[in-house]
Short mmCIF file of all heavy atoms in Angstrom, two decimals:
data_model
loop_
_atom_site.label_atom_id
_atom_site.label_comp_id
_atom_site.label_asym_id
_atom_site.label_seq_id
_atom_site.Cartn_x
_atom_site.Cartn_y
_atom_site.Cartn_z
N MET A 1 166.37 129.70 -76.04
CA MET A 1 164.91 129.98 -75.87
C MET A 1 164.19 129.58 -77.16
O MET A 1 164.58 129.93 -78.26
CB MET A 1 164.83 131.42 -75.53
CG MET A 1 163.36 131.79 -75.27
SD MET A 1 163.05 133.61 -74.87
CE MET A 1 164.49 133.99 -73.87
N SER A 2 163.11 128.82 -77.03
CA SER A 2 162.37 128.38 -78.18
C SER A 2 161.44 129.46 -78.71
O SER A 2 161.21 130.53 -78.06
CB SER A 2 161.46 127.24 -77.87
OG SER A 2 160.33 127.52 -77.03
N GLY A 3 161.04 129.28 -80.04
CA GLY A 3 160.07 130.21 -80.58
C GLY A 3 158.81 130.25 -79.80
O GLY A 3 158.15 131.32 -79.69
N THR A 4 158.41 129.16 -79.33
CA THR A 4 157.10 129.04 -78.48
C THR A 4 157.26 129.97 -77.29
O THR A 4 156.31 130.73 -76.93
CB THR A 4 156.76 127.62 -78.11
OG1 THR A 4 156.68 126.75 -79.26
CG2 THR A 4 155.45 127.63 -77.34
N GLU A 5 158.46 129.87 -76.63
CA GLU A 5 158.73 130.60 -75.37
C GLU A 5 158.71 132.14 -75.65
O GLU A 5 158.10 132.84 -74.97
CB GLU A 5 160.02 130.14 -74.77
CG GLU A 5 160.17 130.72 -73.41
CD GLU A 5 161.37 130.18 -72.71
OE1 GLU A 5 161.70 128.89 -72.86
OE2 GLU A 5 162.21 130.90 -71.93
N ASP A 6 159.27 132.40 -76.78
CA ASP A 6 159.27 133.83 -77.24
C ASP A 6 157.90 134.42 -77.47
O ASP A 6 157.57 135.54 -77.12
CB ASP A 6 160.12 133.96 -78.49
CG ASP A 6 161.61 134.02 -78.30
OD1 ASP A 6 162.02 134.21 -77.09
OD2 ASP A 6 162.28 133.66 -79.30
N ARG A 7 157.04 133.66 -78.13
CA ARG A 7 155.64 133.98 -78.45
C ARG A 7 154.86 134.16 -77.13
O ARG A 7 154.12 135.18 -77.08
CB ARG A 7 155.04 133.09 -79.47
CG ARG A 7 155.59 133.16 -80.77
CD ARG A 7 155.24 131.98 -81.68
NE ARG A 7 153.80 131.90 -82.03
CZ ARG A 7 153.17 130.99 -82.73
NH1 ARG A 7 153.90 129.99 -83.13
NH2 ARG A 7 151.85 130.99 -82.96
N LEU A 8 155.02 133.21 -76.16
CA LEU A 8 154.35 133.39 -75.01
C LEU A 8 154.80 134.48 -74.18
O LEU A 8 154.02 135.24 -73.56
CB LEU A 8 154.55 132.04 -74.09
CG LEU A 8 153.70 130.86 -74.61
CD1 LEU A 8 154.04 129.63 -73.72
CD2 LEU A 8 152.20 131.08 -74.59
N ARG A 9 156.13 134.73 -74.18
CA ARG A 9 156.65 135.92 -73.46
C ARG A 9 155.97 137.24 -74.01
O ARG A 9 155.72 138.20 -73.28
CB ARG A 9 158.17 135.97 -73.54
CG ARG A 9 158.86 137.04 -72.70
CD ARG A 9 160.41 136.94 -72.86
NE ARG A 9 160.92 135.68 -72.69
CZ ARG A 9 161.21 135.11 -71.58
NH1 ARG A 9 160.92 135.63 -70.43
NH2 ARG A 9 161.72 133.85 -71.47
N THR A 10 155.94 137.29 -75.28
CA THR A 10 155.37 138.44 -76.00
C THR A 10 153.89 138.61 -75.54
O THR A 10 153.43 139.73 -75.23
CB THR A 10 155.47 138.29 -77.49
OG1 THR A 10 156.90 138.27 -77.86
CG2 THR A 10 154.86 139.51 -78.25
N LEU A 11 153.02 137.57 -75.61
CA LEU A 11 151.70 137.57 -75.10
C LEU A 11 151.60 138.22 -73.78
O LEU A 11 150.77 138.98 -73.38
CB LEU A 11 151.06 136.33 -75.23
CG LEU A 11 150.62 135.77 -76.66
CD1 LEU A 11 150.00 134.37 -76.53
CD2 LEU A 11 149.54 136.66 -77.22
N ILE A 12 152.44 137.72 -72.83
CA ILE A 12 152.39 138.04 -71.46
C ILE A 12 152.84 139.59 -71.33
O ILE A 12 152.01 140.30 -70.64
CB ILE A 12 153.41 137.21 -70.59
CG1 ILE A 12 152.78 135.80 -70.58
CG2 ILE A 12 153.55 137.80 -69.24
CD1 ILE A 12 153.73 134.85 -69.94
N THR A 13 153.85 139.96 -71.94
CA THR A 13 154.31 141.38 -71.71
C THR A 13 153.32 142.33 -72.40
O THR A 13 153.30 143.44 -71.94
CB THR A 13 155.72 141.54 -72.23
OG1 THR A 13 155.87 141.13 -73.63
CG2 THR A 13 156.73 140.69 -71.44
N GLU A 14 152.67 141.99 -73.44
CA GLU A 14 151.73 142.77 -74.20
C GLU A 14 150.41 142.94 -73.48
O GLU A 14 149.77 143.89 -73.58
CB GLU A 14 151.59 142.34 -75.58
CG GLU A 14 152.66 142.49 -76.53
CD GLU A 14 152.50 142.07 -77.91
OE1 GLU A 14 151.41 141.38 -78.18
OE2 GLU A 14 153.30 142.40 -78.82
N ASN A 15 150.11 141.99 -72.65
CA ASN A 15 148.74 141.87 -72.00
C ASN A 15 148.71 142.02 -70.51
O ASN A 15 147.62 142.14 -69.95
CB ASN A 15 148.06 140.59 -72.42
CG ASN A 15 147.69 140.55 -73.96
OD1 ASN A 15 146.89 141.32 -74.38
ND2 ASN A 15 148.63 139.80 -74.72
N PHE A 16 149.82 141.88 -69.92
CA PHE A 16 149.89 142.03 -68.38
C PHE A 16 150.84 143.04 -67.98
O PHE A 16 151.93 143.10 -68.52
CB PHE A 16 150.25 140.61 -67.78
CG PHE A 16 149.20 139.56 -68.04
CD1 PHE A 16 149.49 138.50 -68.93
CD2 PHE A 16 148.00 139.62 -67.57
CE1 PHE A 16 148.66 137.57 -69.29
CE2 PHE A 16 147.08 138.60 -67.87
CZ PHE A 16 147.35 137.56 -68.77
N ASP A 17 150.50 143.78 -66.93
CA ASP A 17 151.39 144.89 -66.49
C ASP A 17 152.31 144.24 -65.34
O ASP A 17 152.13 144.40 -64.16
CB ASP A 17 150.54 145.91 -65.85
CG ASP A 17 151.31 147.17 -65.50
OD1 ASP A 17 152.34 147.34 -66.06
OD2 ASP A 17 150.74 147.94 -64.51
N LEU A 18 153.30 143.51 -65.85
CA LEU A 18 154.31 142.91 -65.03
C LEU A 18 155.58 143.80 -64.95
O LEU A 18 155.89 144.28 -65.92
CB LEU A 18 154.69 141.56 -65.38
CG LEU A 18 153.62 140.48 -65.53
CD1 LEU A 18 154.13 139.13 -66.01
CD2 LEU A 18 152.88 140.33 -64.14
N ASP A 19 156.11 143.86 -63.68
CA ASP A 19 157.37 144.64 -63.61
C ASP A 19 158.59 143.86 -63.69
O ASP A 19 159.71 144.29 -63.48
CB ASP A 19 157.41 145.45 -62.30
CG ASP A 19 157.31 144.56 -61.09
OD1 ASP A 19 157.14 143.28 -61.23
OD2 ASP A 19 157.42 145.05 -59.96
N HIS A 20 158.42 142.63 -64.28
CA HIS A 20 159.55 141.68 -64.47
C HIS A 20 159.26 140.81 -65.57
O HIS A 20 158.15 140.75 -66.11
CB HIS A 20 159.82 140.91 -63.19
CG HIS A 20 158.55 140.21 -62.76
ND1 HIS A 20 158.18 138.98 -63.27
CD2 HIS A 20 157.68 140.47 -61.78
CE1 HIS A 20 156.99 138.70 -62.74
NE2 HIS A 20 156.72 139.56 -61.78
N SER A 21 160.35 140.14 -66.08
CA SER A 21 160.13 139.11 -67.09
C SER A 21 159.54 137.94 -66.47
O SER A 21 159.96 137.51 -65.38
CB SER A 21 161.50 138.78 -67.77
OG SER A 21 161.39 137.87 -68.76
N PRO A 22 158.62 137.22 -67.24
CA PRO A 22 158.07 136.09 -66.55
C PRO A 22 158.92 134.86 -66.28
O PRO A 22 159.85 134.58 -67.18
CB PRO A 22 156.77 135.64 -67.50
CG PRO A 22 157.24 136.23 -68.84
CD PRO A 22 158.06 137.40 -68.41
N ASP A 23 158.86 134.17 -65.09
CA ASP A 23 159.64 133.07 -64.85
C ASP A 23 158.97 131.87 -65.38
O ASP A 23 157.75 131.52 -64.82
CB ASP A 23 159.93 132.94 -63.43
CG ASP A 23 160.52 131.70 -62.95
OD1 ASP A 23 161.01 130.88 -63.85
OD2 ASP A 23 160.69 131.46 -61.72
N PHE A 24 159.43 131.20 -66.44
CA PHE A 24 158.76 130.09 -66.94
C PHE A 24 158.71 128.78 -66.14
O PHE A 24 158.04 127.82 -66.46
CB PHE A 24 159.38 129.71 -68.42
CG PHE A 24 158.93 130.66 -69.45
CD1 PHE A 24 159.18 132.01 -69.43
CD2 PHE A 24 158.04 130.12 -70.38
CE1 PHE A 24 158.71 132.73 -70.53
CE2 PHE A 24 157.49 130.87 -71.54
CZ PHE A 24 157.89 132.25 -71.49
N ASP A 25 159.41 128.73 -65.00
CA ASP A 25 159.43 127.65 -64.10
C ASP A 25 158.65 127.95 -62.86
O ASP A 25 158.36 126.94 -62.08
CB ASP A 25 160.90 127.31 -63.68
CG ASP A 25 161.70 126.82 -64.86
OD1 ASP A 25 161.16 125.96 -65.68
OD2 ASP A 25 162.79 127.38 -65.07
N GLY A 26 158.12 129.22 -62.55
CA GLY A 26 157.26 129.46 -61.51
C GLY A 26 155.79 129.29 -61.87
O GLY A 26 155.45 129.26 -63.08
N SER A 27 154.99 129.20 -60.85
CA SER A 27 153.53 128.98 -61.02
C SER A 27 153.01 130.32 -61.67
O SER A 27 153.69 131.37 -61.54
CB SER A 27 152.86 128.73 -59.77
OG SER A 27 152.85 129.81 -58.86
N PHE A 28 151.84 130.30 -62.12
CA PHE A 28 151.16 131.51 -62.69
C PHE A 28 151.01 132.60 -61.62
O PHE A 28 151.24 133.75 -61.90
CB PHE A 28 149.87 131.12 -63.41
CG PHE A 28 150.07 130.36 -64.61
CD1 PHE A 28 149.88 128.89 -64.64
CD2 PHE A 28 150.47 130.93 -65.83
CE1 PHE A 28 150.11 128.22 -65.80
CE2 PHE A 28 150.70 130.24 -66.95
CZ PHE A 28 150.51 128.79 -66.98
N SER A 29 150.65 132.17 -60.45
CA SER A 29 150.47 133.13 -59.40
C SER A 29 151.85 133.62 -58.92
O SER A 29 151.94 134.86 -58.61
CB SER A 29 149.84 132.56 -58.12
OG SER A 29 150.58 131.40 -57.60
N ASP A 30 152.89 132.96 -59.00
CA ASP A 30 154.19 133.42 -58.77
C ASP A 30 154.72 134.50 -59.73
O ASP A 30 155.45 135.37 -59.33
CB ASP A 30 155.27 132.34 -58.82
CG ASP A 30 155.18 131.32 -57.74
OD1 ASP A 30 154.52 131.64 -56.73
OD2 ASP A 30 155.81 130.21 -57.82
N ILE A 31 154.30 134.53 -60.97
CA ILE A 31 154.71 135.56 -61.92
C ILE A 31 153.69 136.76 -61.88
O ILE A 31 153.92 137.64 -62.59
CB ILE A 31 154.82 135.00 -63.38
CG1 ILE A 31 153.50 134.38 -63.92
CG2 ILE A 31 155.85 133.90 -63.42
CD1 ILE A 31 153.54 134.09 -65.36
N GLY A 32 152.71 136.65 -61.03
CA GLY A 32 151.78 137.79 -60.83
C GLY A 32 150.54 137.88 -61.72
O GLY A 32 149.95 138.82 -61.88
N VAL A 33 150.11 136.58 -62.11
CA VAL A 33 148.96 136.51 -62.92
C VAL A 33 147.87 135.90 -62.05
O VAL A 33 148.02 134.68 -61.53
CB VAL A 33 149.24 135.57 -64.20
CG1 VAL A 33 147.96 135.24 -64.99
CG2 VAL A 33 150.23 136.15 -65.05
N SER A 34 146.74 136.55 -61.92
CA SER A 34 145.56 136.05 -61.08
C SER A 34 144.88 134.94 -61.84
O SER A 34 145.10 134.70 -63.14
CB SER A 34 144.55 137.22 -60.91
OG SER A 34 143.93 137.51 -62.06
N SER A 35 144.00 134.19 -61.16
CA SER A 35 143.33 133.08 -61.91
C SER A 35 142.42 133.65 -62.93
O SER A 35 142.25 133.03 -63.98
CB SER A 35 142.50 132.32 -60.79
OG SER A 35 141.60 133.15 -60.13
N VAL A 36 141.81 134.78 -62.83
CA VAL A 36 140.98 135.44 -63.89
C VAL A 36 141.85 135.86 -65.03
O VAL A 36 141.47 135.44 -66.15
CB VAL A 36 140.25 136.65 -63.28
CG1 VAL A 36 139.54 137.35 -64.37
CG2 VAL A 36 139.26 136.27 -62.14
N ASP A 37 143.02 136.36 -64.73
CA ASP A 37 143.85 136.74 -65.80
C ASP A 37 144.49 135.48 -66.54
O ASP A 37 144.71 135.52 -67.75
CB ASP A 37 145.09 137.64 -65.34
CG ASP A 37 144.62 139.03 -65.01
OD1 ASP A 37 143.54 139.45 -65.50
OD2 ASP A 37 145.33 139.75 -64.29
N ALA A 38 144.61 134.40 -65.83
CA ALA A 38 145.20 133.23 -66.40
C ALA A 38 144.19 132.55 -67.45
O ALA A 38 144.51 132.19 -68.48
CB ALA A 38 145.49 132.26 -65.33
N ILE A 39 142.90 132.69 -67.06
CA ILE A 39 141.81 132.28 -68.09
C ILE A 39 141.87 133.11 -69.31
O ILE A 39 141.80 132.58 -70.42
CB ILE A 39 140.42 132.34 -67.42
CG1 ILE A 39 140.32 131.48 -66.15
CG2 ILE A 39 139.29 131.98 -68.42
CD1 ILE A 39 140.03 130.02 -66.41
N ALA A 40 141.97 134.37 -69.20
CA ALA A 40 142.14 135.25 -70.34
C ALA A 40 143.46 134.88 -71.09
O ALA A 40 143.40 134.91 -72.39
CB ALA A 40 142.08 136.76 -69.95
N PHE A 41 144.47 134.67 -70.44
CA PHE A 41 145.68 134.32 -71.08
C PHE A 41 145.59 133.02 -71.83
O PHE A 41 146.05 132.95 -73.01
CB PHE A 41 146.86 134.18 -70.01
CG PHE A 41 148.12 133.72 -70.59
CD1 PHE A 41 148.83 134.48 -71.41
CD2 PHE A 41 148.63 132.47 -70.24
CE1 PHE A 41 150.06 134.01 -71.96
CE2 PHE A 41 149.75 131.97 -70.75
CZ PHE A 41 150.46 132.76 -71.65
N PHE A 42 144.97 132.03 -71.30
CA PHE A 42 144.76 130.81 -71.95
C PHE A 42 143.94 130.96 -73.27
O PHE A 42 144.09 130.28 -74.21
CB PHE A 42 144.26 129.60 -71.16
CG PHE A 42 145.33 129.09 -70.29
CD1 PHE A 42 145.40 129.29 -68.94
CD2 PHE A 42 146.32 128.29 -70.78
CE1 PHE A 42 146.35 128.67 -68.20
CE2 PHE A 42 147.32 127.71 -70.13
CZ PHE A 42 147.40 127.88 -68.81
N LYS A 43 142.98 131.86 -73.13
CA LYS A 43 142.11 132.15 -74.37
C LYS A 43 143.01 132.61 -75.51
O LYS A 43 142.97 132.26 -76.69
CB LYS A 43 141.07 133.09 -74.13
CG LYS A 43 139.92 132.43 -73.26
CD LYS A 43 138.81 133.50 -73.02
CE LYS A 43 137.67 132.78 -72.17
NZ LYS A 43 136.59 133.80 -71.89
N MET A 44 143.96 133.57 -75.15
CA MET A 44 144.90 134.13 -76.03
C MET A 44 145.85 133.07 -76.65
O MET A 44 146.17 133.02 -77.78
CB MET A 44 145.74 135.23 -75.48
CG MET A 44 144.93 136.51 -75.14
SD MET A 44 146.09 137.79 -74.48
CE MET A 44 145.96 137.48 -72.72
N VAL A 45 146.28 132.20 -75.75
CA VAL A 45 147.21 131.08 -76.17
C VAL A 45 146.43 130.14 -77.09
O VAL A 45 146.97 129.79 -78.14
CB VAL A 45 147.77 130.28 -74.92
CG1 VAL A 45 148.41 129.02 -75.33
CG2 VAL A 45 148.59 131.27 -74.09
N ASN A 46 145.20 129.82 -76.73
CA ASN A 46 144.37 129.00 -77.70
C ASN A 46 144.35 129.57 -79.04
O ASN A 46 144.51 128.90 -80.07
CB ASN A 46 143.01 128.78 -77.14
CG ASN A 46 142.81 127.59 -76.23
OD1 ASN A 46 143.52 126.60 -76.50
ND2 ASN A 46 141.94 127.72 -75.28
N GLN A 47 144.08 130.85 -79.13
CA GLN A 47 143.95 131.49 -80.41
C GLN A 47 145.23 131.59 -81.13
O GLN A 47 145.39 131.29 -82.30
CB GLN A 47 143.32 132.97 -80.20
CG GLN A 47 143.09 133.66 -81.55
CD GLN A 47 142.42 134.91 -81.20
OE1 GLN A 47 142.24 135.40 -80.19
NE2 GLN A 47 142.19 135.75 -82.35
N GLU A 48 146.28 131.98 -80.37
CA GLU A 48 147.69 132.12 -80.98
C GLU A 48 148.26 130.80 -81.51
O GLU A 48 148.85 130.81 -82.68
CB GLU A 48 148.61 132.69 -79.95
CG GLU A 48 150.10 132.79 -80.35
CD GLU A 48 150.29 133.98 -81.21
OE1 GLU A 48 149.49 134.91 -81.32
OE2 GLU A 48 151.44 133.96 -81.92
N PHE A 49 148.02 129.68 -80.82
CA PHE A 49 148.57 128.39 -81.26
C PHE A 49 147.56 127.45 -81.83
O PHE A 49 147.87 126.33 -82.22
CB PHE A 49 149.22 127.77 -80.05
CG PHE A 49 150.55 128.65 -79.71
CD1 PHE A 49 150.35 129.53 -78.52
CD2 PHE A 49 151.71 128.41 -80.31
CE1 PHE A 49 151.47 130.25 -78.19
CE2 PHE A 49 152.74 129.11 -79.84
CZ PHE A 49 152.75 130.06 -78.77
N GLY A 50 146.24 127.86 -81.88
CA GLY A 50 145.23 126.87 -82.36
C GLY A 50 145.03 125.66 -81.62
O GLY A 50 144.93 124.60 -82.20
N LEU A 51 145.09 125.75 -80.19
CA LEU A 51 145.06 124.52 -79.36
C LEU A 51 143.75 123.88 -79.23
O LEU A 51 143.56 122.70 -79.04
CB LEU A 51 145.75 124.78 -78.05
CG LEU A 51 147.24 125.30 -78.09
CD1 LEU A 51 147.60 125.61 -76.72
CD2 LEU A 51 148.02 124.25 -78.68
N GLY A 52 142.65 124.70 -79.01
CA GLY A 52 141.32 124.25 -78.69
C GLY A 52 141.21 123.70 -77.33
O GLY A 52 140.30 122.84 -77.12
N LEU A 53 141.94 124.20 -76.37
CA LEU A 53 141.80 123.81 -74.99
C LEU A 53 140.57 124.41 -74.38
O LEU A 53 140.24 125.60 -74.64
CB LEU A 53 143.08 124.18 -74.16
CG LEU A 53 144.30 123.48 -74.49
CD1 LEU A 53 145.45 124.17 -73.73
CD2 LEU A 53 144.29 121.95 -74.19
N VAL A 54 139.90 123.75 -73.45
CA VAL A 54 138.85 124.35 -72.68
C VAL A 54 139.40 124.70 -71.29
O VAL A 54 140.51 124.25 -70.90
CB VAL A 54 137.65 123.22 -72.47
CG1 VAL A 54 137.07 123.12 -73.88
CG2 VAL A 54 138.06 122.11 -71.79
N ALA A 55 138.61 125.51 -70.58
CA ALA A 55 139.22 126.13 -69.29
C ALA A 55 139.66 125.12 -68.39
O ALA A 55 140.75 125.15 -67.68
CB ALA A 55 138.13 127.00 -68.69
N ASP A 56 138.94 123.94 -68.19
CA ASP A 56 139.34 122.88 -67.25
C ASP A 56 140.68 122.26 -67.66
O ASP A 56 141.44 121.87 -66.79
CB ASP A 56 138.33 121.83 -67.26
CG ASP A 56 137.03 122.18 -66.61
OD1 ASP A 56 137.01 123.25 -65.84
OD2 ASP A 56 135.97 121.53 -66.77
N GLU A 57 141.00 122.18 -68.96
CA GLU A 57 142.26 121.58 -69.31
C GLU A 57 143.40 122.53 -69.05
O GLU A 57 144.53 122.14 -68.89
CB GLU A 57 142.30 121.28 -70.84
CG GLU A 57 141.33 120.25 -71.23
CD GLU A 57 141.24 120.02 -72.71
OE1 GLU A 57 140.90 121.05 -73.43
OE2 GLU A 57 141.34 118.87 -73.20
N CYS A 58 143.19 123.81 -68.92
CA CYS A 58 144.25 124.78 -68.64
C CYS A 58 144.89 124.63 -67.31
O CYS A 58 146.00 124.98 -67.09
CB CYS A 58 143.68 126.19 -68.83
SG CYS A 58 143.24 126.52 -70.66
N THR A 59 144.08 124.04 -66.43
CA THR A 59 144.60 123.95 -65.04
C THR A 59 145.61 122.83 -64.88
O THR A 59 146.28 122.65 -63.89
CB THR A 59 143.47 123.70 -64.02
OG1 THR A 59 142.84 122.38 -64.45
CG2 THR A 59 142.45 124.73 -64.01
N GLN A 60 145.86 122.02 -65.99
CA GLN A 60 146.90 120.93 -65.98
C GLN A 60 148.27 121.48 -65.99
O GLN A 60 149.18 120.79 -65.66
CB GLN A 60 146.63 120.00 -67.07
CG GLN A 60 146.90 120.54 -68.44
CD GLN A 60 146.75 119.65 -69.68
OE1 GLN A 60 147.14 118.42 -69.53
NE2 GLN A 60 146.12 120.03 -70.75
N PHE A 61 148.46 122.64 -66.35
CA PHE A 61 149.84 123.29 -66.49
C PHE A 61 150.15 123.98 -65.23
O PHE A 61 149.54 124.95 -64.75
CB PHE A 61 149.82 124.29 -67.78
CG PHE A 61 149.32 123.66 -69.04
CD1 PHE A 61 148.20 124.07 -69.43
CD2 PHE A 61 150.19 122.63 -69.62
CE1 PHE A 61 147.65 123.44 -70.65
CE2 PHE A 61 149.70 122.03 -70.82
CZ PHE A 61 148.46 122.48 -71.31
N LYS A 62 151.31 123.45 -64.63
CA LYS A 62 151.71 124.07 -63.37
C LYS A 62 152.39 125.46 -63.58
O LYS A 62 152.61 126.24 -62.68
CB LYS A 62 152.54 123.10 -62.52
CG LYS A 62 151.78 121.85 -62.10
CD LYS A 62 152.56 120.91 -61.40
CE LYS A 62 151.75 119.74 -60.91
NZ LYS A 62 152.45 118.51 -61.31
N ASN A 63 153.10 125.49 -64.77
CA ASN A 63 153.88 126.67 -65.08
C ASN A 63 153.98 126.84 -66.60
O ASN A 63 153.54 126.02 -67.33
CB ASN A 63 155.25 126.58 -64.37
CG ASN A 63 156.02 125.32 -64.80
OD1 ASN A 63 155.97 124.92 -65.93
ND2 ASN A 63 156.69 124.68 -63.89
N LEU A 64 154.57 127.95 -66.99
CA LEU A 64 154.66 128.24 -68.43
C LEU A 64 155.59 127.19 -69.14
O LEU A 64 155.39 126.93 -70.31
CB LEU A 64 155.25 129.65 -68.58
CG LEU A 64 154.32 130.79 -68.13
CD1 LEU A 64 155.14 132.07 -68.11
CD2 LEU A 64 153.18 130.82 -69.13
N ARG A 65 156.59 126.62 -68.41
CA ARG A 65 157.53 125.63 -69.03
C ARG A 65 156.68 124.43 -69.52
O ARG A 65 156.88 123.91 -70.66
CB ARG A 65 158.59 125.22 -68.12
CG ARG A 65 159.58 124.27 -68.67
CD ARG A 65 160.77 124.89 -69.35
NE ARG A 65 161.36 125.99 -68.60
CZ ARG A 65 161.74 127.11 -69.19
NH1 ARG A 65 161.67 127.26 -70.42
NH2 ARG A 65 162.29 128.06 -68.42
N GLU A 66 155.78 123.97 -68.68
CA GLU A 66 154.84 122.96 -69.03
C GLU A 66 153.98 123.16 -70.23
O GLU A 66 153.78 122.43 -71.12
CB GLU A 66 153.92 122.42 -67.97
CG GLU A 66 154.76 121.67 -66.81
CD GLU A 66 153.85 121.17 -65.69
OE1 GLU A 66 152.63 121.17 -65.87
OE2 GLU A 66 154.43 120.70 -64.67
N LEU A 67 153.52 124.46 -70.30
CA LEU A 67 152.71 124.87 -71.46
C LEU A 67 153.48 124.96 -72.67
O LEU A 67 153.08 124.53 -73.74
CB LEU A 67 152.06 126.26 -71.14
CG LEU A 67 151.18 126.88 -72.18
CD1 LEU A 67 150.02 125.98 -72.51
CD2 LEU A 67 150.83 128.29 -71.71
N VAL A 68 154.82 125.43 -72.58
CA VAL A 68 155.57 125.40 -73.79
C VAL A 68 155.90 123.93 -74.35
O VAL A 68 155.72 123.68 -75.47
CB VAL A 68 157.01 126.09 -73.42
CG1 VAL A 68 158.05 125.84 -74.61
CG2 VAL A 68 156.79 127.57 -73.22
N SER A 69 156.16 123.02 -73.46
CA SER A 69 156.37 121.62 -73.78
C SER A 69 155.14 121.07 -74.43
O SER A 69 155.30 120.41 -75.41
CB SER A 69 156.69 120.82 -72.56
OG SER A 69 157.89 121.28 -72.02
N PHE A 70 153.93 121.38 -73.90
CA PHE A 70 152.72 120.85 -74.47
C PHE A 70 152.44 121.40 -75.90
O PHE A 70 152.15 120.69 -76.76
CB PHE A 70 151.50 121.30 -73.61
CG PHE A 70 150.24 120.95 -74.15
CD1 PHE A 70 149.70 119.63 -73.98
CD2 PHE A 70 149.44 121.88 -74.78
CE1 PHE A 70 148.43 119.35 -74.48
CE2 PHE A 70 148.19 121.56 -75.31
CZ PHE A 70 147.65 120.26 -75.13
N ILE A 71 152.75 122.72 -76.11
CA ILE A 71 152.55 123.37 -77.34
C ILE A 71 153.55 122.68 -78.34
O ILE A 71 153.19 122.49 -79.53
CB ILE A 71 152.68 124.80 -77.32
CG1 ILE A 71 151.58 125.44 -76.48
CG2 ILE A 71 152.69 125.60 -78.68
CD1 ILE A 71 151.65 126.87 -76.09
N ASP A 72 154.78 122.61 -77.92
CA ASP A 72 155.85 122.10 -78.85
C ASP A 72 155.46 120.68 -79.22
O ASP A 72 155.82 120.25 -80.39
CB ASP A 72 157.25 122.24 -78.19
CG ASP A 72 157.72 123.61 -78.23
OD1 ASP A 72 157.07 124.51 -78.93
OD2 ASP A 72 158.63 123.99 -77.46
N ALA A 73 155.08 119.88 -78.30
CA ALA A 73 154.73 118.54 -78.62
C ALA A 73 153.58 118.31 -79.58
O ALA A 73 153.60 117.42 -80.39
CB ALA A 73 154.36 117.68 -77.39
N ARG A 74 152.68 119.36 -79.63
CA ARG A 74 151.59 119.24 -80.57
C ARG A 74 151.93 119.82 -81.93
O ARG A 74 151.21 119.57 -82.91
CB ARG A 74 150.37 120.09 -80.01
CG ARG A 74 149.81 119.38 -78.76
CD ARG A 74 148.52 120.02 -78.34
NE ARG A 74 147.57 120.02 -79.46
CZ ARG A 74 146.30 120.08 -79.36
NH1 ARG A 74 145.72 120.05 -78.02
NH2 ARG A 74 145.52 120.15 -80.22
N GLY A 75 152.96 120.63 -82.03
CA GLY A 75 153.42 121.25 -83.23
C GLY A 75 154.05 120.49 -84.12
O GLY A 75 153.97 120.41 -85.40
#
């Protein structure tokens, strides 16, 4: 597990009331995150990783694994 994945997992567990560990290969709705919560999550991710993504760009990620790859590629 990468450091990026650990940091994202921490953001999710600290900010969302999930009864399970997030599946990094499932869609955001599959892990129990609504579209409104997903926008809030991406704002946190932007701040945590200094990405500067706008809301429209956040829809390009089908799952958390793609987001991890994107963050790692920019790092």
Side-chain angles (χ1 to χ4, degrees):
M1 184 179 324
S2 74
T4 302
E5 192 172 320
D6 285 338
R7 288 167 66 188
L8 287 176
R9 187 179 311 281
T10 298
L11 281 175
I12 291 168
T13 56
E14 288 178 351
N15 293 285
F16 299 108
D17 187 25
L18 301 179
D19 60 353
H20 54 80
S21 182
D23 175 8
F24 276 69
D25 296 311
S27 71
F28 291 101
S29 61
D30 288 345
I31 62 171
V33 176
S34 71
S35 58
V36 172
D37 287 341
I39 300 280
F41 174 69
F42 278 112
K43 287 181 182 179
M44 288 183 272
V45 170
N46 270 328
Q47 184 175 0
E48 177 77 16
F49 294 95
L51 298 177
L53 294 172
V54 296
D56 289 344
E57 293 174 308
C58 296
T59 61
Q60 70 181 316
F61 306 108
K62 294 179 182 134
N63 56 42
L64 291 169
R65 183 89 46 222
E66 286 185 9
L67 180 59
V68 169
S69 295
F70 176 81
I71 293 168
D72 286 346
R74 292 189 56 150

